[in-house]
Amino acid sequence: MEKKKKEPPMVAILWKNRKLAMTLAKDDFKKKFAGSYLGIIWAFVQPVITILVYWFIFEVIGKSGETMKIPFVLYLVVGIIPWFFFSDSLASGTMCLIEYAFLVKKVVFRIDILPLVKILSAMFVHMFFIAFSMILLCFYGIYPGPQAIQVVYYVFCTLVLVLAILYTTSAITVFFRDLSQIIAIFVLQVGIWLTPIMWDAEARLAAHPTIIKVLKLNPMYYVVSGFRDALLYKKWVWEKPFWTLYFWGVTLILFLIGVGIFRKLRVHFADVL
């Protein structure tokens, strides 16, 4: 009986096919806006409108920034940018196998890279908004220090986290397509308030430390706080070692579970699609 060939680690597969993933990501990004008059400009309009709406509601009407030492608009923008990347990657990546069904049915194509393709596609807009946030900081007289280099680390954190989740969600969505709607409503719409993005949990819940600890179980809380530490508060990642270990522990577990589910269900993808 022929012994089944052991698959290489997923990380090795992704690294080997990184150039193909980037090429497909560029095509995917362009395809999103093909046929529209404004083209890729639409990729930036929606996030900007969202930021303006939240800024108006929370600072102009709600006066949320009155107790902050920094302008609320900076607190909002720096925190919401990694969330945009996470939510865009998760929403589009969950449907990647269905969207690229024609590639899934090709025997020779490594469908393992499709979740990564969607993440890289979302990263083009993410890079623009990171640059935008730094320009906005300078406009307010807050110049990025050496800690700003940590943004690269936190972008990588987001990429690995969402990739870990996508191996599970993209595989299950092939068989249960309602999952994409569940994620959009119960994960993304609720998650943005629990991360938190528009309010300072440490200040608002100072009298409830247990609730703060529960909120910090959300891995994206680590990333959002990291962006603010790097760009606003000038703190280094090694100042929160236990939180960092927790984040990577959870992310590694999610990745191993996701890859396991993806590989177990992969043989059925072409038949279902």
Side-chain angles (χ1 to χ4, degrees):
M1 186 176 179
E2 186 178 351
K3 188 176 181 180
K4 187 177 179 181
K5 186 178 179 182
K6 186 178 180 181
E7 283 197 76
M10 186 63 78
V11 174
I13 293 173
L14 295 175
W15 179 255
K16 182 179 179 180
N17 294 275
R18 64 190 184 281
K19 292 183 179 179
L20 174 60
M22 181 58 72
T23 300
L24 290 174
K26 291 177 182 177
D27 293 339
D28 181 87
F29 180 70
K30 295 175 183 176
K31 186 177 66 176
K32 287 180 185 177
F33 312 99
S36 63
Y37 287 109
L38 295 180
I40 63 172
I41 293 176
W42 288 115
F44 308 99
V45 171
Q46 190 269 338
V48 169
I49 295 298
T50 301
I51 290 172
L52 290 175
V53 169
Y54 285 145
W55 168 78
F56 181 77
I57 292 174
F58 285 91
E59 182 168 29
V60 178
I61 298 178
K63 305 296 182 182
S64 295
E66 289 184 347
T67 59
M68 290 187 176
K69 297 180 180 179
I70 59 173
F72 176 75
V73 66
L74 299 182
Y75 183 86
L76 172 63
V77 169
V78 172
I80 205 170
I81 284 174
W83 180 262
F84 280 152
F85 178 40
F86 174 79
S87 60
D88 187 19
S89 299
L90 183 58
S92 60
T94 294
M95 298 295 292
C96 68
L97 297 177
I98 296 173
E99 182 179 344
Y100 286 98
F102 63 96
L103 291 178
V104 175
K105 295 176 182 179
K106 289 187 176 182
V107 179
V108 296
F109 185 79
R110 293 297 319 208
I111 63 172
D112 312 68
I113 70 170
L114 290 178
L116 179 62
V117 168
K118 283 296 186 178
I119 297 172
L120 294 177
S121 177
M123 191 175 289
F124 294 124
V125 176
H126 187 47
M127 292 297 102
F128 167 82
F129 277 103
I130 288 176
F132 169 77
S133 68
M134 292 190 178
I135 293 172
L136 189 63
L137 286 169
C138 293
F139 179 79
Y140 276 86
I142 301 177
Y143 299 98
Q147 295 87 350
I149 192 65
Q150 295 174 119
V151 166
V152 177
Y153 163 74
Y154 289 112
V155 169
F156 179 72
C157 288
T158 314
L159 185 153
V160 178
L161 173 63
V162 75
L163 181 63
I165 298 171
L166 282 181
Y167 277 121
T168 296
T169 60
S170 62
I172 295 176
T173 302
V174 173
F175 306 92
F176 179 61
R177 302 198 180 192
D178 288 352
L179 180 61
S180 63
Q181 301 302 323
I182 292 173
I183 288 174
I185 297 171
F186 295 102
V187 177
L188 298 181
Q189 288 190 22
V190 175
I192 194 172
W193 298 102
L194 297 179
T195 300
I197 305 295
M198 279 76 67
W199 56 289
D200 187 347
E202 305 257 351
R204 296 291 183 91
L205 299 174
H208 305 280
T210 302
I211 297 178
I212 295 176
K213 290 179 181 179
V214 171
L215 290 176
K216 286 184 176 182
L217 295 177
N218 171 8
M220 276 305 295
Y221 195 134
Y222 172 81
V223 174
V224 170
S225 297
F227 262 74
R228 286 173 175 150
D229 286 343
L231 297 177
L232 295 176
Y233 305 130
K234 310 294 175 57
K235 295 181 180 179
W236 292 101
V237 65
W238 52 77
E239 295 180 41
K240 48 185 180 184
F242 296 109
W243 200 5
T244 299
L245 288 174
Y246 167 77
F247 171 84
W248 284 111
V250 170
T251 301
L252 178 59
I253 291 171
L254 290 174
F255 186 81
L256 293 175
I257 292 173
V259 170
I261 292 174
F262 189 89
R263 287 180 167 175
K264 188 174 182 63
L265 298 178
R266 185 173 53 192
V267 294
H268 306 290
F269 291 161
D271 296 332
V272 176
L273 294 172

